[in-house]
Amino acid sequence: MNTMVLAERVRKSFGHVDVLKGIDIEVHTGEVLCLIGPSGSGKSTFLRCVNNLETIDSGHIWVDGDLIGYDVRGRRLHHLKESAARRQRRDIGMVFQHFELFPHMTALENIVLSPIAVRGVPRAAAVERARHLLGKVGLADRADFYPSQLSGGQQQRVAIARALAMEPKLMLFDEPTSGLDPELVDEVLAVMGELAADGMTMIVVTHELGFARDVADTITFMADGVIVESGPPEQVIANPQHERTRSFLRRVRAETGAQATEGRSV
Ligand SMILES: Nc1ncnc2c1ncn2[C@@H]1O[C@H](COP(=O)(O)OP(=O)(O)O)[C@@H](O)[C@H]1O
Ligand SMILES: [Mg+2]
């Protein structure tokens, strides 16, 4: 089985706050890893390190065999130049909690922007692919709408289409449904579930336990910058080994209502 993401002993501090204290993660190509854990445990920081938006202090991250952020010359590591860092980043799609679409551009224009500007895709081809992607996220009829004319769930689906337009080999999601009204969560999770079924490799930070249970190959529970436990959903969600995992799951279920989130079909 091919490895898409391999993180080894990744450490990261901000000032004297140790945020990541030696993270080891492996995601095989075509698999979905859901990263769960309390607020402040370092989940977003880890995703930003994978995407080369933050540099790490020690350890290694490889994506599809590329060492992220560094260039190996002889036996020494050198920080990548910004142009090379950007090249690594453009192969990795990222969707955030706040969908950050450009407000003065239609859904279609938001999607074609980077393929044309960054990848040099001819406009006609970029538009054709954008329409195809809008269809995939269920918004074929919204191409010419501005973000303000779309619901939060629709905007987030456009954001997913926009990330996919760059033909990423890996998609990172950072709480993609946390900013949405509850009734809009399912439509976004459904699109993510289809993407997973199509074979996209994904790391998803989420509190949606139903999604994690149904879609994840691996669930990794992180707290205070360390991985407490990791395994298939039937282990981590149904039969957690650590008290910290159990108390976290209890809290999430109490906040979201287990019925509501785990009864969802995606
Ligand atoms: N740019 C930054 N500068 C300083 N501290 C940061 C920065 N980004 C994150 N942190 C700190 O790192 C810790 C982990 O944050 P984060 O990765 O956002 O956690 P999570 O996504 O799990 O909620 C928090 O204590 C946060 O305040
Ligand atoms: Mg976060």
Side-chain angles (χ1 to χ4, degrees):
M1 211 181 266
N2 286 330
T3 294
M4 179 58 78
V5 181
L6 184 62
E8 283 181 352
R9 302 183 305 278
V10 171
R11 302 183 71 94
K12 172 75 182 173
S13 309
F14 292 109
H16 31 242
V17 183
D18 294 333
V19 174
L20 301 176
K21 303 174 188 168
I23 298 293
D24 293 291
I25 272 179
E26 181 168 13
V27 188
H28 294 120
T29 303
E31 290 196 341
V32 176
L33 181 137
C34 281
L35 191 54
I36 62 175
S39 170
S41 53
K43 306 179 300 296
S44 296
T45 302
F46 178 72
L47 286 192
R48 292 171 59 79
C49 291
V50 173
N51 202 18
N52 213 347
L53 292 167
E54 300 280 1
T55 57
I56 59 179
D57 299 331
S58 64
H60 300 98
I61 301 174
W62 286 272
V63 174
D64 201 21
D66 278 344
L67 186 61
I68 292 295
Y70 296 91
D71 192 10
V72 191
R73 273 180 255 147
R75 299 169 70 187
R76 308 201 45 176
L77 297 183
H78 301 267
H79 280 286
L80 281 186
K81 293 203 180 68
E82 184 49 30
S83 58
R86 261 204 309 275
R87 211 168 308 126
Q88 288 187 334
R89 218 173 280 143
R90 75 181 188 194
D91 289 336
I92 302 173
M94 184 135 182
V95 175
F96 302 90
Q97 179 174 337
H98 297 289
F99 9 87
E100 292 160 19
L101 297 174
F102 292 111
H104 58 291
M105 289 184 186
T106 63
L108 188 87
E109 292 298 332
N110 266 283
I111 296 170
V112 300
L113 186 67
S114 288
I116 293 173
V118 179
R119 284 215 191 273
V121 176
R123 186 173 169 86
V127 167
E128 188 182 325
R129 173 147 171 88
R131 291 198 185 280
H132 169 75
L133 289 169
L134 279 168
K136 281 200 82 111
V137 301
L139 294 172
D141 54 347
R142 294 291 188 275
D144 299 324
F145 283 52
Y146 287 87
S148 62
Q149 298 170 313
L150 298 171
S151 72
Q154 291 171 334
Q155 289 181 55
Q156 196 60 309
R157 286 186 281 152
V158 173
I160 293 171
R162 181 174 63 172
L164 293 176
M166 289 294 279
E167 306 196 30
K169 49 192 175 192
L170 168 69
M171 285 285 287
L172 307 175
F173 292 87
D174 196 356
E175 302 201 34
T177 59
S178 295
L180 297 176
D181 293 335
E183 70 275 16
L184 302 177
V185 168
D186 283 359
E187 64 190 49
V188 175
L189 294 179
V191 164
M192 293 166 60
E194 283 162 23
L195 195 55
D198 282 350
M200 178 61 76
T201 311
M202 306 176 18
I203 302 180
V204 183
V205 175
T206 186
H207 296 292
E208 293 290 338
L209 299 181
F211 174 86
R213 185 200 56 204
D214 293 345
V215 177
D217 296 285
T218 303
I219 298 184
T220 298
F221 173 63
M222 196 166 148
D224 284 337
V226 298
I227 290 173
V228 176
E229 72 179 283
S230 189
E234 56 274 22
Q235 179 191 314
V236 177
I237 294 220
N239 188 21
Q241 302 299 301
H242 291 263
E243 176 49 33
R244 278 190 97 168
T245 316
R246 286 194 284 271
S247 66
F248 172 76
L249 292 171
R250 270 197 302 276
R251 213 166 57 242
V252 172
R253 288 184 173 117
E255 279 166 15
T256 55
Q259 298 302 324
T261 107
E262 285 171 72
R264 269 189 190 124
S265 53
V266 290

